[in-house]
């Protein structure tokens, strides 16, 4: 036993108090430690996606911006078609690379649901480690709360950071994108509802794992539900197009050409002809997608619906866990001799 010496030189039999640094409690630390591989994968995903967005915000848009400065939207189109890349590749056009983080967000959303259904919950139920934790003075409700809260913090912060950076890139360089369904789909897809979708995937995965209690079935169900949730979002809202046509209107865009005197005139549609631009005295261009009044109503509606479904899934998970716990602790009936 460690003894203490007071100022007078006398010793005492009290043990020395250990100085501990502030940090997560035991249950939170256990969740972080147990799923550290998934945490590193998530951190890498956020870092790579954020890095790509920062690159698009800065040097990644330089080539397209130069083409736009000379020939306007025609130059941006030419740059997009010449450097189109079907996969993530630093060297593709700005237009092709702009939508890659959106694809990563969709993949990550499904991965969150699959992780929550499998490694986070179902595997521990199958292996019995969850029941072991419940015998170590950790109640099932507290165990599930930690399993939900810890990933939710990382998912919310990481996805929120990506959404903020994505909107910055959009606001700075949307004039370089080729018009069509792509800008409209992106515009209505990225926002607070994107964060709510990721949290919904987490809750659905946990609920599926507790209901099915088998890793593979829970993985399949959670992944399918999250895929359907993603398919119903963004540009696929039913009131965004005519019931008699699947064609959807493009986002309105404001486009002007600038003369040497600074006056803004209509684009003369010279395409890539410098002689035509010189003849019309065009020295620059402006172009930007106009804000849609439907954006925030749709985002708030989507966010509210998704958060409500997330809350229902969380409540359902706790109710299923309570029923499961009661069934596992039900005493067996004694057989008559």
């Amino acid at each position: 036993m460690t003894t203490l010496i007071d100022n007078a030189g006398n010793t005492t039999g009290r043990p020395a108090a250990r100085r501990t640094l502030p940090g997560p409690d035991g249950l939170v630390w256990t969740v972080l430690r147990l799923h550290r591989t998934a945490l590193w994968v998530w951190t890498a995903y956020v870092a790579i996606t954020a890095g790509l967005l920062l690159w698009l915000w800065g040097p990644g848009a330089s080539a397209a911006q130069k083409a736009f400065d000379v020939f306007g939207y025609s130059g941006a189109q030419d740059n997009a078609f010449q450097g189109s890349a079907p996969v993530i590749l630093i060297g593709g056009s700005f237009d092709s690379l702009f939508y890659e983080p959106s694809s990563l967000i969709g993949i990550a959303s499904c991965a969150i649901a699959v992780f929550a259904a499998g490694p986070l919950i179902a595997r521990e139920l199958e292996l019995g480690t969850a029941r072991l934790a419940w015998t170590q003075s950790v109640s099932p409700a507290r165990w599930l709360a930690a399993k939900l809260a810890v990933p939710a913090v990382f998912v919310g912060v990481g996805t929120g950071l990506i959404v903020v950076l994505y909107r910055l890139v959009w606001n700075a360089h949307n004039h370089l994108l080729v018009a069509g369904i792509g800008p409209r789909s992106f515009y209505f897809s990225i926002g607070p509802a994107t964060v709510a979708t990721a949290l919904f995937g987490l809750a659905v995965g946990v609920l599926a794992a507790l209901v099915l209690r088998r890793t593979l079935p829970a993985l399949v169900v959670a992944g399918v539900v999250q895929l359907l949730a993603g398919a119903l979002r963004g540009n696929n809202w039913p009131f965004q197009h005519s019931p008699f046509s699947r064609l959807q209107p493009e986002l309105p865009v404001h486009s002007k050409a600038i003369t040497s005197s600074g006056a803004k005139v209509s684009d003369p549609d010279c395409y890539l002809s410098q002689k035509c631009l010189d003849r019309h005295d065009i020295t620059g261009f402006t172009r930007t997608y106009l804000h849609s009044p439907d954006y925030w109503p749709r985002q708030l509606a989507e966010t509210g619906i998704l958060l409500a479904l997330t809350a229902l899934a969380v409540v359902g998970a706790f109710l299923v866990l309570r029923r499961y716990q009661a069934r596992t602790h039900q005493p067996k009936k004694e057989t008559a001799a």
Side-chain angles (χ1 to χ4, degrees):
M1 180 176 64
T2 304
T3 58
L4 297 178
I5 302 177
D6 57 19
N7 294 334
N10 299 322
T11 60
T12 62
R14 293 175 299 170
R18 293 184 177 180
R19 300 178 63 183
T20 59
L21 297 175
D25 61 20
L27 187 55
V28 173
W29 177 256
T30 300
V31 175
L32 292 173
R33 180 72 175 173
L34 185 61
H35 302 289
R36 58 187 181 275
T37 301
L39 176 59
W40 282 114
V41 171
W42 176 257
T43 303
Y45 153 72
V46 173
I48 292 172
T49 307
L52 177 58
L53 288 171
L54 289 173
W55 185 81
L56 290 173
W57 193 19
S62 60
Q65 184 64 51
K66 289 179 182 178
F68 177 85
D69 291 339
V70 177
F71 297 110
Y73 178 60
S74 299
Q77 278 185 309
D78 184 67
N79 175 267
F81 296 148
Q82 286 185 1
S84 59
V87 295
I88 295 177
L89 179 65
I90 304 302
S93 69
F94 174 85
D95 184 83
S96 62
L97 289 174
F98 178 84
Y99 300 104
E100 297 295 348
S102 179
S103 300
L104 291 177
I105 290 175
I107 295 173
S109 178
C110 291
I112 290 169
V114 169
F115 164 74
L120 188 66
I121 300 294
R123 188 175 65 180
E124 293 201 24
L125 293 176
E126 280 188 328
L127 297 178
T129 54
R131 190 176 293 108
L132 176 62
W134 300 342
T135 63
Q136 303 297 319
S137 68
V138 176
S139 66
R142 185 164 171 257
W143 171 83
L144 181 57
K147 288 287 188 178
L148 280 166
V150 174
V153 171
F154 286 95
V155 168
V157 172
T159 308
L161 174 63
I162 291 173
V163 168
V164 170
L165 290 176
Y166 223 155
R167 297 304 298 191
L168 288 176
V169 178
W170 164 264
N171 293 333
H173 301 304
N174 61 51
H175 61 285
L176 302 177
L177 298 173
V178 176
I181 198 65
R184 177 182 179 82
S185 178
F186 168 83
Y187 181 79
F188 285 109
S189 296
I190 302 299
T194 306
V195 182
T197 302
L199 295 175
F200 173 73
L202 177 66
V204 164
V206 170
L207 178 60
L210 288 171
V211 171
L212 300 174
R213 298 193 301 277
R214 293 293 183 271
T215 300
L216 186 58
L219 291 176
V220 174
V221 170
V224 170
V225 171
Q226 191 65 6
L227 281 174
L228 292 176
L232 293 175
R233 284 201 60 232
N235 205 48
N236 298 317
W237 279 53
F239 56 77
Q240 288 300 310
H241 55 78
S242 168
F244 304 102
S245 173
R246 298 196 62 83
L247 297 178
Q248 302 184 14
E250 299 179 3
L251 283 177
V253 63
H254 179 66
S255 199
K256 290 291 182 179
I258 304 174
T259 64
S260 59
S261 63
K264 293 184 178 181
V265 298
S266 298
D267 193 332
D269 294 327
C270 290
Y271 192 56
L272 302 178
S273 174
Q274 186 63 50
K275 292 182 179 180
C276 176
L277 294 175
D278 294 338
R279 186 168 61 251
H280 290 87
D281 192 28
I282 303 300
T283 59
F285 297 88
T286 63
R287 184 176 185 273
T288 183
Y289 285 102
L290 301 179
H291 297 288
S292 173
D294 293 340
Y295 176 77
W296 280 112
R298 286 186 54 182
Q299 279 293 313
L300 294 177
E302 274 192 88
T303 304
I305 293 172
L306 287 167
L307 290 180
L309 292 175
T310 301
L312 289 175
V314 170
V315 172
F318 277 97
L319 292 177
V320 172
L321 177 65
R322 182 178 180 182
R323 184 177 179 182
Y324 172 72
Q325 182 69 7
R327 184 164 56 248
T328 56
H329 283 79
Q330 185 176 3
K332 296 181 180 179
K333 295 182 180 180
E334 296 182 0
T335 56

